[in-house]
Amino acid sequence: MTEMVYGTVPVRSSDPILPRWWQTIDRWSLTAILMLFGIGILLGLAASPPLAAKNGLAPFHYVQRQMLFGGMALVVMMVTSMMAPSLVRRLGVLGFLGAFAALVMLPVLGTDYGKGAIRWYSLGFASVQPAEFLKPGFVVIAAWLMSASQEINGPPGRLYSFIIAITVVGFLVMQPDFGQASLVLFGWGVMYFVAGAPMFLLLSMAGLVVFGGMFAYNNSEHFARRIDGFLSADIDPTTQMGYATNAIQEGGFFGVGVGEGQVKWSLPDAHTDFIVAVAAEEYGLILVLVIIALYMVITVRSLLRLMKERDTFIRLAGTGLACMFGVQAMINMGVAVRLLPAKGMTLPFVSYGGSSLIAGGIAVGMLLAFTRTRPQGEIIDHFARRGH
Amino acid sequence: MTRTPLRPLARILEARAKGENPDAIERANIRARHEVMRDKTRLRSEGRLLVLGAFFFCAFVVIGVRMGMLAASEPSEPQVAAASAHIVASRADIVDRNGRILATNLTTRALYAQPPVMIDKAGAARQLATIFPDLDEEKLLAQFTGNRKFIWIRKKISPEQMQAVHDIGDPGLLFGPREMRLYPNGKLAAHILGGASFGREGVNSAEVIGVAGVEKEFDDYLRDPAQDGKPLQLSIDLTVQAATREVLYGGMKLMNAKGAAAVLMDVHTGEIISMVSLPDFDPNTRPRVLTKGDAGDSPLFNRAVQGVYELGSVFKILNTAQALELGLVNPSTMIDTKGPLRWGRFKIRDFHNYGAQLSMTDVVVKSSNIGSAHVAQMIGAKRQRDFLGALGLLEATPVELVEASGAKPLLPKRWSELSTMTISYGHGLSTSPLHLAAAYSSILNGGLRVKPTLLRQTAPRMGERVVSERTSEQARSILRQVVVRGTASFGEVEGYAVGGKTGTADKPKPTGGYYKDKVVATFASVFPANDPKYVLIVTLDEPVETSGPKPRRTAGWTSVPVAAEIIRRVAPLLGLRPEVEPLQPTGVTLTSN
């Protein structure tokens, strides 16, 4: 007995970081994310040469950049996912403040790259889109405020978070960037929903959305045309939508073959918004189903893991990140198959784009950090129930 | 709801009594309450997270299924027009009442030359001149060696000619596809169909437009893609038309006439079953319009529709029918026929002297001008004019030919009493044979007005009543008498009870007055007279019958036998059953033993 106690290795004051990380991380989601990154490179090889040719660059210029930014994104993701939730919260709030400042300064210092909307900062070698970085930070700060409001004598955090959301949305609409604005609004709404929004408020919000949609349909010609185009049974084959649908049909189950696709030459956004059409044409339904399954694994698994989470902040922030990630993928692919009206939205981790990749790395890193397995006080519960 | 106090007084007092800090109790209570609240929100969040997870799961599954459905469906070629909108680009066919083709389209080629790419211009010109004998070699060569870059050589060529041009082998001789209009029956119904020619021309196609007849009248209809190639069905019967033309042509030659016209009309519907004008032409190679001379002598001239003539005594039955209708006479009323009838400086004579009086029937049967003039006087100018107007004799016929609207009847400038008298026997009012056919049909079909038409009718068209049933029957009876014992005795066709009226009108000189030796001989007939089905008008222009000792020009000797032969030929084709007396068996005795 004595020998057994004597000479034992002293208990280490802190855990080894990497093994602990590997034990607690959601390995399924991590695998899915790495596979998505690989698919992104693979599709970049197919989809971006036309763009490179158009801009007079080497055929795989954009693939190289994608690998560079993707590598950075993976590093950022790993580092973020190792952080403790409190550190993530701290950095997230700081990051939000920085990104918000950048967003506010956009009209003064930003550039529109000839696309009609000022969304980017040009750094010479690359461009930065503040809205992409704003999203994870916004989720963190909103979750923090909402969780604080659930403490006794806490601040009215829901109201504060709502004010922040509306402000951010206002700046995004000014650019204009309705896609990001609606994502921010959606993220806030999901967090509010999980934080315990009253049923009556949810129903009245749904009604408001319906009335808002009808109002927009009746008053905005642009909006009405998109909806009409979506609702009409036959597709105008000369629209992006028509090309995408045709590409999916051409691909069939096994695709037309690597590099044989045609849609990437016709669609200006083949490497971003319609990357799924390129995938469907060249690699067929199989790859598309794999992509869908990967997004589903990440989103649904994260949400299921968060169900067990007892910390309100972690639960809310994780929900916001997972849902924004999932809904972005869902909208992108839903547009390609005509389940949703046309709306430019990148496919996270697969579409080309530096900002989108790195910001996606941050967001997914945060999500992985929040979904790590950690003690949830089940033992206390156990004893407490016993005691009763 | 019962409120649980955070500082329950009993426990506080107890704690104070023991000297413990009572605030610890409050903190513990706050903590417990917070725990409960957290558990509640956690449970609610768990439920809502599950809802979110299920939503995302379903959404991704739906996207996957939709992808699968799209991938499984066939890619459709982008099409501007819907597949159901089948466009008929070619001109519609024209068919007869039984659906037999009168006009259709044929794919052929146009030949053109592009001199800049020609190799052997002289050789090409020489060989083209041998393939197309009407082309002149030197003119062709001059065109080929000139400055022109593009020359039409022929608008339509046959496959044999095309092969011969291919055999020349010059790359500068090229072919453009053409739809050409083809009339497989040649001269039959030439005046009705009219003809077509090319409108705007390009290398790869040319517009076919109607230039005359129904082709022009229905040009828009025939070219309308909305009709989906539905053929235009005419009232013409091709077989009857062929028989009519053949007999009329023979009759015209036999009677030494320079022209002839025949109209066969259904008395009840006004449908023109057959309409022939001679001389005629082949619409496939439509002759040029005469630039000098009388347009009325051109083969293009449709005598049945465009030719307005004083048609003579055939009008007498109209006059008589009106008098019968007005009750001024009955068929046996005696009419004064003592001649000549003087009116001012004008004398009305009869062909023969018929004595002092004839019955109303006999005035028509023997064709007394004097008798008719007396009856017309009884009717009066206004009533006569109204009656002829009601029969459609005072305006152009509404038949569906572009030429028809130009053929207006020639009316007297002032409808005097003298005009009334002459019009009663067909002078002083010029109408076309088609006018007459419509007027006869209206009176003889039971008294209902018909309008001539070239379109197949599916139901009888009930016009307004012009004479009573009884008058119609009396008129037919009189016309039958004309054939049985009057001027048209050659018109008898056994079994078909032909009735009719002859008319021999002197031709007016262009300078005024009338020729003595030029007539228009007309026979207007109805058959069968007891149950009228068809009206046939046969008109011969300047006929002379020379088998007798002196030339005979009256209709009874010229038009009537021709008309009778036509009826003999076409009545069986029209499905009319001859009413023949059953043969009495002679020399055969039925015995029974």
Side-chain angles (χ1 to χ4, degrees):
Chain A
M1 188 108 182
T2 319
E3 311 88 70
M4 287 175 72
V5 176
Y6 180 77
T8 47
V9 186
V11 175
R12 288 166 67 166
S13 58
S14 63
D15 289 326
I17 294 178
L18 274 177
R20 177 127 186 97
W21 174 77
W22 180 247
Q23 281 164 11
T24 54
I25 199 85
D26 181 11
R27 287 187 291 274
W28 282 91
S29 294
L30 183 65
T31 315
I33 289 164
L34 293 176
M35 283 175 73
L36 277 180
F37 174 70
I39 289 172
I41 302 279
L42 180 71
L43 292 179
L45 286 168
S48 68
L51 182 72
K54 201 170 76 182
N55 292 346
L57 299 164
F60 294 122
H61 173 83
Y62 290 104
V63 182
Q64 287 163 3
R65 285 174 69 92
Q66 170 117 353
M67 289 174 82
L68 174 70
F69 286 121
M72 287 161 66
L74 285 183
V75 170
V76 169
M77 181 188 85
M78 294 294 180
V79 170
T80 313
S81 67
M82 288 176 196
M83 293 176 183
S86 55
L87 183 60
V88 171
R89 183 173 69 197
R90 216 164 293 152
L91 293 178
V93 170
L94 288 177
F96 171 77
L97 293 177
F100 186 71
L103 183 72
V104 173
M105 293 306 284
L106 260 185
V108 185
L109 302 171
T111 168
D112 65 349
Y113 284 112
K115 290 186 184 175
I118 302 173
R119 297 177 187 170
W120 297 272
Y121 283 113
S122 177
L123 301 181
F125 68 95
S127 61
V128 174
Q129 190 178 355
E132 293 279 5
F133 293 93
L134 189 72
K135 283 187 292 180
F138 168 76
V139 168
V140 166
I141 197 168
W144 184 34
L145 287 168
M146 283 189 198
S147 64
S149 76
Q150 291 193 2
E151 299 295 323
I152 286 185
N153 296 327
R158 291 177 180 175
L159 180 63
Y160 291 170
S161 71
F162 182 68
I163 291 170
I164 292 177
I166 290 300
T167 314
V168 168
V169 165
F171 275 105
L172 287 172
V173 166
M174 268 164 52
Q175 289 184 359
D177 189 346
F178 292 103
Q180 302 284 12
S182 54
L183 271 183
V184 166
L185 212 55
F186 174 79
W188 183 83
V190 166
M191 285 189 279
Y192 186 42
F193 172 63
V194 172
M199 234 36 207
F200 171 76
L201 199 65
L202 290 176
L203 289 178
S204 49
M205 264 166 67
L208 209 65
V209 165
V210 170
F211 277 108
M214 281 167 65
F215 181 80
Y217 183 81
N218 289 330
N219 289 289
S220 161
E221 196 185 326
H222 172 78
F223 188 75
R225 200 169 51 233
R226 282 219 180 158
I227 297 297
D228 285 342
F230 170 66
L231 291 179
S232 77
D234 43 32
I235 314 160
D236 182 354
T238 57
T239 56
Q240 299 218 38
M241 216 64 148
Y243 281 118
T245 305
N246 211 33
I248 294 168
Q249 289 174 333
E250 286 283 351
F253 291 104
F254 303 106
V256 297
V258 178
E260 299 289 320
Q262 295 301 315
V263 70
K264 57 192 179 188
W265 299 99
S266 324
L267 280 179
D269 292 333
H271 60 300
T272 56
D273 294 354
F274 284 94
I275 190 102
V276 162
V278 176
E281 190 182 21
E282 298 205 352
Y283 298 92
L285 181 65
I286 290 179
L287 183 68
V288 176
L289 288 183
V290 167
I291 295 175
I292 293 173
L294 291 177
Y295 282 111
M296 192 160 81
V297 164
I298 297 169
T299 313
V300 176
R301 245 193 99 80
S302 299
L303 290 174
L304 293 182
R305 281 176 82 93
L306 288 167
M307 276 173 69
K308 291 201 279 278
E309 179 60 57
R310 299 210 171 186
D311 187 289
T312 319
F313 163 72
I314 294 178
R315 188 166 62 218
L316 290 180
T319 304
L321 290 167
C323 289
M324 268 167 124
F325 180 80
V327 89
Q328 201 176 334
M330 202 182 86
I331 290 176
N332 178 292
M333 292 188 287
V335 168
V337 293
R338 260 174 72 77
L339 281 171
L340 297 170
K343 180 78 217 83
M345 190 82 69
T346 55
L347 196 55
F349 263 96
V350 174
S351 292
Y352 173 79
S355 297
S356 138
L357 266 174
I358 292 176
I362 293 174
V364 174
M366 286 178 171
L367 181 61
L368 288 174
F370 289 142
T371 55
R372 280 169 72 170
T373 321
R374 58 176 64 82
Q376 298 292 354
E378 289 98 336
I379 299 169
I380 295 173
D381 262 8
H382 187 75
F383 287 123
R385 296 252 159 77
R386 268 285 165 83
H388 272 284
Chain B
M1 171 178 167
T2 51
R3 284 179 61 92
T4 323
L6 286 175
R7 291 170 74 95
L9 193 57
R11 284 184 64 191
I12 298 274
L13 291 176
E14 195 183 331
R16 277 185 182 158
K18 290 181 183 171
E20 293 169 355
N21 186 0
D23 289 354
I25 295 172
E26 187 186 355
R27 277 200 297 275
N29 275 336
I30 287 176
R31 188 180 155 77
R33 191 186 277 185
H34 195 193
E35 286 288 331
V36 170
M37 197 177 84
R38 268 231 302 247
D39 281 357
K40 225 168 77 183
T41 53
R42 185 165 58 89
L43 283 174
R44 189 170 56 189
S45 296
E46 264 177 32
R48 292 195 173 180
L49 278 169
L50 194 64
V51 168
L52 276 179
F55 162 74
F56 274 102
F57 180 79
C58 293
F60 279 118
V61 165
V62 165
I63 289 174
V65 167
R66 172 85 180 173
M67 275 281 181
M69 278 162 58
L70 267 185
S73 64
E74 279 300 305
S76 56
E77 198 65 25
Q79 282 177 333
V80 174
S84 59
H86 157 73
I87 292 179
V88 179
S90 59
R91 195 175 175 87
D93 287 352
I94 301 176
V95 298
D96 85 341
R97 64 185 299 115
N98 298 316
R100 283 172 292 208
I101 296 282
L102 295 175
T104 187
N105 300 307
L106 187 69
T107 306
T108 179
R109 301 274 160 173
L111 173 62
Y112 61 94
Q114 289 185 334
V117 293
M118 288 179 79
I119 294 169
D120 177 11
K121 292 178 181 178
R126 189 180 67 249
Q127 292 181 70
L128 280 176
T130 55
I131 297 168
F132 306 106
D134 55 329
L135 291 180
D136 184 56
E137 186 187 336
E138 280 157 32
K139 271 190 199 162
L140 268 181
L141 190 57
Q143 284 182 330
F144 289 166
T145 50
N147 292 326
R148 293 176 60 184
K149 299 254 191 303
F150 186 97
I151 300 155
W152 283 116
I153 299 174
R154 292 298 287 254
K155 298 274 175 76
K156 297 178 260 188
I157 58 174
S158 68
E160 293 82 5
Q161 289 168 331
M162 184 175 164
Q163 186 56 47
V165 176
H166 268 309
D167 290 342
I168 297 175
D170 199 300
L173 295 175
L174 299 163
F175 305 96
R178 283 287 179 278
E179 284 263 280
M180 65 170 263
R181 200 64 166 161
L182 183 77
Y183 304 94
N185 306 304
K187 293 183 171 183
L188 276 185
H191 291 101
I192 297 165
L193 296 172
S197 76
F198 292 122
R200 287 191 295 269
E201 275 188 277
V203 168
N204 291 319
S205 65
E207 197 180 43
V208 177
I209 52 167
V211 292
V214 288
E215 287 271 27
K216 189 169 184 184
E217 177 78 17
F218 291 103
D219 197 34
D220 291 340
Y221 174 90
L222 292 167
R223 291 162 62 175
D224 186 0
Q227 296 297 331
D228 203 21
K230 208 174 81 193
L232 176 67
Q233 188 162 41
L234 299 186
S235 60
I236 298 295
D237 184 317
L238 189 61
T239 321
V240 175
Q241 176 80 2
T244 310
R245 184 184 177 276
E246 186 182 311
V247 176
L248 190 68
Y249 185 80
M252 182 179 84
K253 291 293 172 198
L254 213 58
M255 302 302 172
N256 305 303
K258 71 168 192 176
V263 178
L264 180 66
M265 181 181 281
D266 185 313
V267 288
H268 297 292
T269 61
E271 288 172 285
I272 299 168
I273 308 296
S274 165
M275 182 159 69
V276 182
S277 171
L278 295 173
D280 55 9
F281 63 97
D282 185 349
N284 291 305
T285 52
R286 199 177 153 82
R288 292 183 186 284
V289 178
L290 289 185
T291 47
K292 56 183 184 225
D294 184 4
D297 291 335
S298 162
L300 293 173
F301 186 73
N302 187 350
R303 289 163 190 274
V305 173
Q306 291 170 284
V308 289
Y309 309 102
E310 295 188 359
L311 290 172
S313 307
V314 289
F315 268 62
K316 281 174 185 155
I317 192 65
L318 310 180
N319 188 49
T320 307
Q322 189 184 11
L324 291 168
E325 178 70 13
L326 293 171
L328 301 172
V329 295
N330 63 46
S332 50
T333 306
M334 296 310 284
I335 309 290
D336 183 12
T337 56
K338 197 160 79 224
L341 173 63
R342 290 172 188 280
W343 191 263
R345 59 179 182 82
F346 199 82
K347 280 190 228 167
I348 294 173
R349 288 196 178 82
D350 278 334
F351 200 69
H352 303 288
N353 185 6
Y354 298 119
Q357 277 188 324
L358 284 175
S359 70
M360 185 69 248
T361 304
D362 282 353
V363 164
V364 180
V365 170
K366 305 223 185 291
S367 198
S368 165
N369 296 343
I370 298 168
S372 291
H374 280 305
V375 174
Q377 280 180 299
M378 289 189 243
I379 293 168
K382 180 167 186 314
R383 285 197 288 190
Q384 183 189 48
R385 184 174 184 157
D386 292 346
F387 184 68
L388 295 180
L391 291 173
L393 287 168
L394 304 182
E395 60 202 7
T397 55
V399 76
E400 300 88 351
L401 289 172
V402 277
E403 296 85 0
S405 59
K408 291 197 175 68
L410 302 178
L411 309 180
K413 286 195 187 67
R414 203 172 62 81
W415 205 292
S416 63
E417 190 161 2
L418 179 63
S419 298
T420 309
M421 290 155 77
T422 61
I423 285 170
S424 75
Y425 57 88
H427 282 77
L429 173 66
S430 299
T431 63
S432 68
L434 186 61
H435 275 110
L436 193 67
Y440 263 59
S441 295
S442 302
I443 287 180
L444 301 177
N445 68 5
L448 298 177
R449 165 89 190 266
V450 299
K451 289 177 178 167
T453 176
L454 270 167
L455 295 181
R456 171 100 198 252
Q457 305 296 321
T458 46
R461 299 189 298 176
M462 306 301 268
E464 71 268 31
R465 183 161 285 282
V466 284
V467 294
S468 67
E469 197 85 47
R470 184 159 171 272
T471 308
S472 179
E473 197 191 327
Q474 287 170 339
R476 290 201 300 271
S477 160
I478 294 170
L479 290 180
R480 178 69 186 137
Q481 297 294 313
V482 176
V483 174
V484 171
R485 59 186 178 87
T487 54
S489 53
F490 285 138
E492 179 65 3
V493 180
E494 198 182 350
Y496 291 110
V498 179
K501 181 73 193 84
T502 56
T504 311
D506 293 335
K507 284 185 86 169
K509 290 180 186 170
T511 51
Y514 287 90
Y515 289 110
K516 282 278 163 238
D517 56 351
K518 289 185 180 176
V519 298
V520 172
T522 307
F523 182 50
S525 55
V526 59
F527 60 95
N530 48 346
D531 177 20
K533 290 277 192 324
Y534 298 98
V535 157
L536 172 69
I537 311 288
V538 172
T539 299
L540 296 178
D541 193 3
E542 301 179 22
V544 191
E545 203 278 322
T546 52
S547 63
K550 58 177 187 175
R552 288 179 286 225
R553 297 189 171 84
T554 55
W557 281 94
T558 54
S559 301
V560 176
V562 175
E565 187 58 28
I566 291 174
I567 292 170
R568 198 169 287 123
R569 283 281 298 274
V570 304
L573 296 176
L574 293 166
L576 290 184
R577 184 192 171 105
E579 289 184 11
V580 185
E581 294 284 315
L583 282 175
Q584 292 298 319
T586 53
V588 178
T589 317
L590 293 173
T591 57
S592 58
N593 49 355

